[in-house]
């Protein structure tokens, strides 16, 4: 009985010893998107204010629980007039829906450093399941602050109509499909 109890304590200590919370470094991370305009050109943008938090107990991050929160009012397409319009009720309604959020439900290794990231995206008051491509770019020690950093790229697509964003604008004017492209640098939380 003592041997089993000691084994359980050692196992719990091992898991707890590795359990880490990682947070995004805003200066070295980007949450971007691309959408078509008039079916021929593309508009790119990003959210200037967002946070990513990941909690993992495995060194390969395969059990990571990931949460993302972005401030809708921080949307940026390098055009002030368009950005102001995107914040109105015709699109994101930033006054009523101040954030968009993502909470992972699972991470599945596809091969090597490639994963499928499944989770729930909440935007414009609507929550839908999404599947994203996640690539673990690697882990290094930052020579400036001596902290480990882990870098991930996330890509995927979703339809704005699924979330009721810009519903009065047809896809021929503003594309329905939004391409997500994020690069996130994470460091252990202090």
């Amino acid at each position: 009985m003592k041997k089993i109890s000691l084994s359980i304590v050692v196992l719990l200590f091992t898991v707890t010893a590795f359990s880490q919370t990682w947070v995004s470094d805003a200066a070295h991370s980007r949450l971007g998107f691309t959408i078509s305009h008039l079916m021929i050109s593309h508009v790119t943008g990003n959210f200037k204010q967002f946070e990513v938090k990941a909690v993992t107990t495995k060194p390969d991050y395969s059990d990571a629980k990931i949460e993302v929160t972005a401030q809708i009012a921080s949307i940026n397409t390098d055009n002030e007039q368009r950005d102001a319009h995107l914040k109105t009720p015709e699109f994101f309604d930033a006054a009523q829906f101040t954030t968009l959020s993502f909470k992972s439900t699972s991470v599945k290794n596809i091969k090597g450093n490639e994963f499928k990231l499944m989770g729930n995206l909440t935007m414009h008051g609507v929550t839908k399941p999404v599947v994203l491509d996640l690539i673990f770019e690697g882990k290094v020690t930052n020579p400036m602050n001596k902290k480990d950093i882990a870098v991930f790229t996330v890509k995927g697509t979703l339809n704005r109509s699924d979330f009721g964003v810009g519903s009065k604008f047809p896809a021929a004017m503003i594309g329905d499909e939004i391409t997500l492209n994020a690069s996130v640098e994470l460091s252990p939380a202090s």
Side-chain angles (χ1 to χ4, degrees):
M1 184 70 166
K2 285 184 181 181
K3 192 174 189 179
I4 293 173
S5 296
L6 182 59
S7 297
I8 291 171
V9 169
V10 169
L11 177 64
L12 288 174
F13 178 75
T14 303
V15 169
T16 305
F18 185 78
S19 181
Q20 284 189 299
T21 299
W22 297 77
V23 293
S24 54
D25 177 348
H28 298 102
S29 298
R30 185 175 199 303
L31 177 57
F33 59 88
T34 303
I35 190 165
S36 68
H37 179 245
L38 300 177
M39 298 173 52
I40 195 165
S41 68
H42 295 92
V43 172
T44 60
N46 66 327
F47 291 93
K48 293 259 187 205
Q49 296 174 344
F50 73 97
E51 296 175 346
V52 179
K53 176 181 165 185
V55 178
T56 185
T57 61
K58 294 184 178 179
D60 67 354
Y61 305 94
S62 61
D63 70 338
K65 298 293 181 199
I66 300 167
E67 294 183 13
V68 179
T69 304
Q71 301 300 316
I72 296 297
S74 75
I75 197 165
N76 173 45
T77 63
D78 290 327
N79 181 292
E80 289 181 21
Q81 186 176 356
R82 179 173 48 226
D83 295 346
H85 191 200
L86 289 172
K87 296 173 193 177
T88 70
E90 287 189 325
F91 286 96
F92 286 99
D93 197 357
Q96 182 176 355
F97 305 108
T98 58
T99 62
L100 68 80
S101 65
F102 172 83
K103 291 186 180 183
S104 69
T105 54
S106 66
V107 177
K108 181 181 177 187
N109 184 259
I110 302 303
K111 68 174 183 172
N113 64 340
E114 298 176 19
F115 298 83
K116 289 292 181 186
L117 175 61
M118 283 74 74
N120 294 312
L121 176 65
T122 301
M123 181 169 58
H124 200 246
V126 177
T127 301
K128 297 273 184 180
V130 295
V131 178
L132 304 169
D133 295 320
L134 176 71
I135 299 170
F136 174 46
E137 302 290 355
K139 185 175 163 185
V140 298
T141 301
N142 184 329
M144 299 295 285
N145 62 16
K146 308 297 184 220
K147 286 187 176 182
D148 287 338
I149 63 166
V151 178
F152 295 87
T153 297
V154 182
K155 296 180 180 183
T157 59
L158 57 96
N159 293 328
R160 66 179 171 88
S161 60
D162 290 345
F163 297 89
V165 174
S167 55
K168 80 175 208 173
F169 296 92
M173 180 181 262
I174 300 169
D176 189 34
E177 187 175 272
I178 300 168
T179 302
L180 303 174
N181 189 352
S183 177
V184 182
E185 187 174 298
L186 299 172
S187 296
S190 314

Short mmCIF file of all heavy atoms in Angstrom, two decimals, residues 70-113:
data_model
loop_
_atom_site.label_atom_id
_atom_site.label_comp_id
_atom_site.label_asym_id
_atom_site.label_seq_id
_atom_site.Cartn_x
_atom_site.Cartn_y
_atom_site.Cartn_z
N ALA A 70 -9.29 38.69 -27.62
CA ALA A 70 -8.90 39.87 -28.40
C ALA A 70 -9.93 40.97 -28.17
O ALA A 70 -11.13 40.71 -28.11
CB ALA A 70 -8.83 39.53 -29.89
N GLN A 71 -9.43 42.19 -28.06
CA GLN A 71 -10.29 43.36 -27.91
C GLN A 71 -10.77 43.79 -29.30
O GLN A 71 -9.96 44.16 -30.15
CB GLN A 71 -9.52 44.50 -27.23
CG GLN A 71 -8.99 44.15 -25.85
CD GLN A 71 -10.09 43.78 -24.88
OE1 GLN A 71 -11.12 44.44 -24.81
NE2 GLN A 71 -9.88 42.71 -24.12
N ILE A 72 -12.09 43.76 -29.51
CA ILE A 72 -12.64 44.12 -30.82
C ILE A 72 -12.28 45.56 -31.20
O ILE A 72 -11.97 45.84 -32.36
CB ILE A 72 -14.17 43.94 -30.84
CG1 ILE A 72 -14.54 42.46 -30.66
CG2 ILE A 72 -14.78 44.50 -32.11
CD1 ILE A 72 -14.06 41.54 -31.76
N ALA A 73 -12.27 46.46 -30.25
CA ALA A 73 -11.96 47.88 -30.54
C ALA A 73 -10.53 48.07 -31.04
O ALA A 73 -10.19 49.14 -31.56
CB ALA A 73 -12.21 48.74 -29.31
N SER A 74 -9.70 47.04 -30.94
CA SER A 74 -8.31 47.16 -31.39
C SER A 74 -8.12 46.71 -32.83
O SER A 74 -7.00 46.65 -33.31
CB SER A 74 -7.37 46.37 -30.47
OG SER A 74 -7.48 44.97 -30.70
N ILE A 75 -9.23 46.42 -33.53
CA ILE A 75 -9.12 45.96 -34.93
C ILE A 75 -8.40 47.01 -35.77
O ILE A 75 -8.63 48.21 -35.61
CB ILE A 75 -10.51 45.60 -35.52
CG1 ILE A 75 -10.33 44.76 -36.78
CG2 ILE A 75 -11.36 46.84 -35.74
CD1 ILE A 75 -11.61 44.07 -37.23
N ASN A 76 -7.51 46.55 -36.63
CA ASN A 76 -6.67 47.46 -37.40
C ASN A 76 -6.48 46.92 -38.82
O ASN A 76 -5.96 45.83 -39.00
CB ASN A 76 -5.31 47.60 -36.71
CG ASN A 76 -4.34 48.38 -37.55
OD1 ASN A 76 -4.68 49.41 -38.11
ND2 ASN A 76 -3.12 47.88 -37.66
N THR A 77 -6.92 47.71 -39.81
CA THR A 77 -6.72 47.36 -41.21
C THR A 77 -5.92 48.44 -41.94
O THR A 77 -5.94 48.51 -43.16
CB THR A 77 -8.08 47.15 -41.93
OG1 THR A 77 -8.79 48.39 -41.92
CG2 THR A 77 -8.89 46.05 -41.29
N ASP A 78 -5.27 49.29 -41.17
CA ASP A 78 -4.49 50.41 -41.71
C ASP A 78 -5.36 51.43 -42.46
O ASP A 78 -4.89 52.11 -43.36
CB ASP A 78 -3.35 49.93 -42.62
CG ASP A 78 -2.26 49.24 -41.82
OD1 ASP A 78 -2.03 49.66 -40.66
OD2 ASP A 78 -1.64 48.30 -42.33
N ASN A 79 -6.63 51.51 -42.08
CA ASN A 79 -7.53 52.50 -42.66
C ASN A 79 -8.52 52.91 -41.57
O ASN A 79 -9.40 52.12 -41.21
CB ASN A 79 -8.26 51.92 -43.88
CG ASN A 79 -9.19 52.91 -44.53
OD1 ASN A 79 -10.19 53.30 -43.96
ND2 ASN A 79 -8.86 53.30 -45.76
N GLU A 80 -8.37 54.11 -41.02
CA GLU A 80 -9.18 54.54 -39.88
C GLU A 80 -10.67 54.51 -40.16
O GLU A 80 -11.46 54.12 -39.31
CB GLU A 80 -8.75 55.94 -39.43
CG GLU A 80 -7.40 55.97 -38.76
CD GLU A 80 -7.00 57.36 -38.29
OE1 GLU A 80 -7.89 58.22 -38.12
OE2 GLU A 80 -5.80 57.59 -38.10
N GLN A 81 -11.08 54.94 -41.35
CA GLN A 81 -12.50 54.96 -41.69
C GLN A 81 -13.06 53.54 -41.72
O GLN A 81 -14.14 53.28 -41.19
CB GLN A 81 -12.70 55.65 -43.04
CG GLN A 81 -14.16 55.83 -43.41
CD GLN A 81 -14.33 56.59 -44.71
OE1 GLN A 81 -13.37 57.05 -45.32
NE2 GLN A 81 -15.56 56.73 -45.15
N ARG A 82 -12.34 52.61 -42.35
CA ARG A 82 -12.80 51.22 -42.40
C ARG A 82 -12.82 50.61 -41.00
O ARG A 82 -13.76 49.92 -40.62
CB ARG A 82 -11.91 50.40 -43.33
CG ARG A 82 -12.32 48.93 -43.41
CD ARG A 82 -11.56 48.14 -44.46
NE ARG A 82 -10.13 48.36 -44.40
CZ ARG A 82 -9.38 48.61 -45.47
NH1 ARG A 82 -9.91 48.66 -46.67
NH2 ARG A 82 -8.08 48.79 -45.34
N ASP A 83 -11.77 50.88 -40.21
CA ASP A 83 -11.72 50.34 -38.85
C ASP A 83 -12.90 50.83 -38.02
O ASP A 83 -13.52 50.06 -37.28
CB ASP A 83 -10.40 50.72 -38.17
CG ASP A 83 -9.20 50.09 -38.84
OD1 ASP A 83 -9.38 49.15 -39.65
OD2 ASP A 83 -8.08 50.54 -38.56
N ALA A 84 -13.24 52.11 -38.15
CA ALA A 84 -14.38 52.67 -37.42
C ALA A 84 -15.68 51.97 -37.86
O ALA A 84 -16.54 51.66 -37.03
CB ALA A 84 -14.48 54.17 -37.65
N HIS A 85 -15.82 51.71 -39.17
CA HIS A 85 -17.01 51.03 -39.69
C HIS A 85 -17.08 49.60 -39.16
O HIS A 85 -18.16 49.11 -38.81
CB HIS A 85 -16.99 51.05 -41.21
CG HIS A 85 -18.29 50.61 -41.82
ND1 HIS A 85 -18.38 50.18 -43.13
CD2 HIS A 85 -19.55 50.52 -41.33
CE1 HIS A 85 -19.62 49.84 -43.40
NE2 HIS A 85 -20.36 50.04 -42.32
N LEU A 86 -15.95 48.92 -39.10
CA LEU A 86 -15.93 47.54 -38.60
C LEU A 86 -16.37 47.44 -37.14
O LEU A 86 -16.87 46.40 -36.70
CB LEU A 86 -14.54 46.92 -38.77
CG LEU A 86 -14.13 46.61 -40.21
CD1 LEU A 86 -12.66 46.19 -40.26
CD2 LEU A 86 -15.03 45.54 -40.81
N LYS A 87 -16.23 48.51 -36.38
CA LYS A 87 -16.61 48.51 -34.96
C LYS A 87 -18.09 48.78 -34.75
O LYS A 87 -18.59 48.61 -33.65
CB LYS A 87 -15.77 49.55 -34.22
CG LYS A 87 -14.28 49.23 -34.20
CD LYS A 87 -13.48 50.37 -33.61
CE LYS A 87 -11.99 50.19 -33.89
NZ LYS A 87 -11.20 51.32 -33.39
N THR A 88 -18.81 49.18 -35.81
CA THR A 88 -20.22 49.51 -35.69
C THR A 88 -21.09 48.25 -35.65
O THR A 88 -20.61 47.15 -35.96
CB THR A 88 -20.69 50.38 -36.89
OG1 THR A 88 -20.69 49.57 -38.08
CG2 THR A 88 -19.81 51.62 -37.06
N PRO A 89 -22.38 48.41 -35.32
CA PRO A 89 -23.30 47.26 -35.32
C PRO A 89 -23.43 46.57 -36.68
O PRO A 89 -23.86 45.42 -36.74
CB PRO A 89 -24.63 47.86 -34.88
CG PRO A 89 -24.24 49.03 -34.03
CD PRO A 89 -23.01 49.60 -34.71
N GLU A 90 -23.04 47.24 -37.79
CA GLU A 90 -23.11 46.58 -39.10
C GLU A 90 -22.10 45.43 -39.21
O GLU A 90 -22.25 44.56 -40.06
CB GLU A 90 -22.86 47.58 -40.22
CG GLU A 90 -24.01 48.52 -40.45
CD GLU A 90 -23.85 49.36 -41.70
OE1 GLU A 90 -22.70 49.74 -42.04
OE2 GLU A 90 -24.88 49.63 -42.34
N PHE A 91 -21.07 45.45 -38.36
CA PHE A 91 -20.06 44.40 -38.39
C PHE A 91 -19.88 43.79 -37.00
O PHE A 91 -20.68 42.97 -36.58
CB PHE A 91 -18.73 44.91 -38.97
CG PHE A 91 -18.78 45.11 -40.44
CD1 PHE A 91 -19.04 46.36 -40.98
CD2 PHE A 91 -18.58 44.05 -41.31
CE1 PHE A 91 -19.11 46.54 -42.35
CE2 PHE A 91 -18.65 44.22 -42.69
CZ PHE A 91 -18.91 45.47 -43.20
N PHE A 92 -18.85 44.19 -36.27
CA PHE A 92 -18.53 43.54 -35.00
C PHE A 92 -19.31 44.07 -33.80
O PHE A 92 -19.37 43.41 -32.77
CB PHE A 92 -17.03 43.69 -34.70
CG PHE A 92 -16.16 42.80 -35.54
CD1 PHE A 92 -15.52 43.29 -36.66
CD2 PHE A 92 -15.97 41.48 -35.21
CE1 PHE A 92 -14.72 42.49 -37.45
CE2 PHE A 92 -15.16 40.65 -35.98
CZ PHE A 92 -14.54 41.16 -37.10
N ASP A 93 -19.86 45.27 -33.89
CA ASP A 93 -20.58 45.90 -32.78
C ASP A 93 -19.73 45.90 -31.51
O ASP A 93 -20.07 45.29 -30.50
CB ASP A 93 -21.92 45.20 -32.55
CG ASP A 93 -22.87 46.04 -31.70
OD1 ASP A 93 -22.48 47.14 -31.24
OD2 ASP A 93 -24.01 45.59 -31.48
N ALA A 94 -18.61 46.60 -31.59
CA ALA A 94 -17.62 46.63 -30.50
C ALA A 94 -18.18 47.16 -29.19
O ALA A 94 -17.68 46.82 -28.13
CB ALA A 94 -16.40 47.44 -30.92
N ALA A 95 -19.21 48.00 -29.26
CA ALA A 95 -19.79 48.53 -28.02
C ALA A 95 -20.53 47.44 -27.24
O ALA A 95 -20.46 47.38 -26.02
CB ALA A 95 -20.74 49.68 -28.34
N GLN A 96 -21.21 46.54 -27.96
CA GLN A 96 -21.95 45.47 -27.30
C GLN A 96 -21.09 44.22 -27.08
O GLN A 96 -21.18 43.58 -26.04
CB GLN A 96 -23.19 45.11 -28.11
CG GLN A 96 -24.03 44.03 -27.44
CD GLN A 96 -25.32 43.72 -28.18
OE1 GLN A 96 -25.67 44.36 -29.15
NE2 GLN A 96 -26.02 42.72 -27.70
N PHE A 97 -20.28 43.87 -28.07
CA PHE A 97 -19.46 42.66 -28.00
C PHE A 97 -17.99 43.10 -27.97
O PHE A 97 -17.36 43.22 -29.01
CB PHE A 97 -19.74 41.75 -29.19
CG PHE A 97 -21.19 41.40 -29.35
CD1 PHE A 97 -21.94 41.95 -30.38
CD2 PHE A 97 -21.80 40.54 -28.46
CE1 PHE A 97 -23.28 41.64 -30.53
CE2 PHE A 97 -23.16 40.22 -28.60
CZ PHE A 97 -23.90 40.77 -29.64
N THR A 98 -17.49 43.35 -26.79
CA THR A 98 -16.17 43.98 -26.64
C THR A 98 -15.00 43.07 -26.96
O THR A 98 -13.91 43.56 -27.28
CB THR A 98 -16.00 44.53 -25.21
OG1 THR A 98 -16.17 43.45 -24.28
CG2 THR A 98 -17.03 45.62 -24.93
N THR A 99 -15.21 41.76 -26.89
CA THR A 99 -14.09 40.83 -27.14
C THR A 99 -14.54 39.69 -28.04
O THR A 99 -15.72 39.41 -28.18
CB THR A 99 -13.55 40.21 -25.83
OG1 THR A 99 -14.59 39.45 -25.20
CG2 THR A 99 -13.03 41.27 -24.88
N LEU A 100 -13.54 39.05 -28.64
CA LEU A 100 -13.75 37.74 -29.22
C LEU A 100 -12.88 36.80 -28.41
O LEU A 100 -11.85 37.21 -27.86
CB LEU A 100 -13.43 37.69 -30.72
CG LEU A 100 -12.02 37.86 -31.23
CD1 LEU A 100 -11.22 36.57 -31.12
CD2 LEU A 100 -12.06 38.27 -32.69
N SER A 101 -13.29 35.55 -28.31
CA SER A 101 -12.51 34.62 -27.50
C SER A 101 -12.49 33.24 -28.14
O SER A 101 -13.38 32.86 -28.89
CB SER A 101 -13.07 34.53 -26.07
OG SER A 101 -14.37 33.98 -26.10
N PHE A 102 -11.43 32.53 -27.84
CA PHE A 102 -11.26 31.15 -28.28
C PHE A 102 -10.82 30.33 -27.07
O PHE A 102 -9.93 30.73 -26.33
CB PHE A 102 -10.19 31.05 -29.37
CG PHE A 102 -9.84 29.63 -29.74
CD1 PHE A 102 -10.62 28.91 -30.63
CD2 PHE A 102 -8.74 29.00 -29.17
CE1 PHE A 102 -10.31 27.59 -30.95
CE2 PHE A 102 -8.42 27.70 -29.48
CZ PHE A 102 -9.21 26.99 -30.38
N LYS A 103 -11.46 29.17 -26.88
CA LYS A 103 -11.06 28.23 -25.83
C LYS A 103 -10.91 26.86 -26.47
O LYS A 103 -11.85 26.33 -27.06
CB LYS A 103 -12.10 28.18 -24.71
CG LYS A 103 -12.14 29.45 -23.90
CD LYS A 103 -13.05 29.33 -22.72
CE LYS A 103 -13.03 30.66 -21.95
NZ LYS A 103 -13.81 30.62 -20.75
N SER A 104 -9.72 26.31 -26.34
CA SER A 104 -9.47 25.01 -26.95
C SER A 104 -10.21 23.90 -26.23
O SER A 104 -10.46 23.98 -25.02
CB SER A 104 -7.96 24.70 -26.98
OG SER A 104 -7.48 24.48 -25.67
N THR A 105 -10.56 22.87 -26.99
CA THR A 105 -11.16 21.67 -26.41
C THR A 105 -10.22 20.48 -26.54
O THR A 105 -10.28 19.56 -25.75
CB THR A 105 -12.51 21.35 -27.09
OG1 THR A 105 -12.32 21.28 -28.51
CG2 THR A 105 -13.55 22.42 -26.76
N SER A 106 -9.32 20.52 -27.56
CA SER A 106 -8.32 19.47 -27.71
C SER A 106 -7.24 19.88 -28.70
O SER A 106 -7.44 20.77 -29.52
CB SER A 106 -8.96 18.14 -28.15
OG SER A 106 -9.50 18.26 -29.44
N VAL A 107 -6.11 19.21 -28.57
CA VAL A 107 -4.98 19.39 -29.48
C VAL A 107 -4.61 17.99 -29.95
O VAL A 107 -4.39 17.10 -29.14
CB VAL A 107 -3.78 20.06 -28.78
CG1 VAL A 107 -2.60 20.17 -29.73
CG2 VAL A 107 -4.15 21.42 -28.23
N LYS A 108 -4.56 17.80 -31.28
CA LYS A 108 -4.25 16.47 -31.82
C LYS A 108 -3.02 16.57 -32.70
O LYS A 108 -2.99 17.34 -33.66
CB LYS A 108 -5.44 15.96 -32.64
CG LYS A 108 -5.22 14.58 -33.22
CD LYS A 108 -6.41 14.13 -34.03
CE LYS A 108 -6.11 12.78 -34.67
NZ LYS A 108 -7.17 12.39 -35.59
N ASN A 109 -2.02 15.76 -32.38
CA ASN A 109 -0.81 15.73 -33.19
C ASN A 109 -1.10 15.04 -34.51
O ASN A 109 -1.66 13.95 -34.55
CB ASN A 109 0.33 15.01 -32.45
CG ASN A 109 1.61 15.06 -33.23
OD1 ASN A 109 1.99 14.09 -33.88
ND2 ASN A 109 2.28 16.19 -33.20
N ILE A 110 -0.74 15.71 -35.61
CA ILE A 110 -0.92 15.14 -36.94
C ILE A 110 0.37 14.44 -37.36
O ILE A 110 0.36 13.28 -37.75
CB ILE A 110 -1.30 16.23 -37.96
CG1 ILE A 110 -2.57 16.94 -37.53
CG2 ILE A 110 -1.45 15.65 -39.36
CD1 ILE A 110 -3.77 16.04 -37.33
N LYS A 111 1.48 15.16 -37.28
CA LYS A 111 2.81 14.56 -37.51
C LYS A 111 3.85 15.58 -37.10
O LYS A 111 3.70 16.79 -37.31
CB LYS A 111 3.00 14.14 -38.96
CG LYS A 111 3.08 15.27 -39.95
CD LYS A 111 3.42 14.76 -41.34
CE LYS A 111 3.55 15.97 -42.27
NZ LYS A 111 4.05 15.64 -43.56
N GLY A 112 4.90 15.11 -36.49
CA GLY A 112 5.99 15.99 -36.08
C GLY A 112 5.51 17.18 -35.27
O GLY A 112 4.91 17.01 -34.22
N ASN A 113 5.73 18.38 -35.79
CA ASN A 113 5.37 19.60 -35.06
C ASN A 113 4.03 20.18 -35.54
O ASN A 113 3.70 21.32 -35.24
CB ASN A 113 6.46 20.65 -35.23
CG ASN A 113 6.62 21.11 -36.67
OD1 ASN A 113 6.21 20.43 -37.59
ND2 ASN A 113 7.22 22.27 -36.85
#
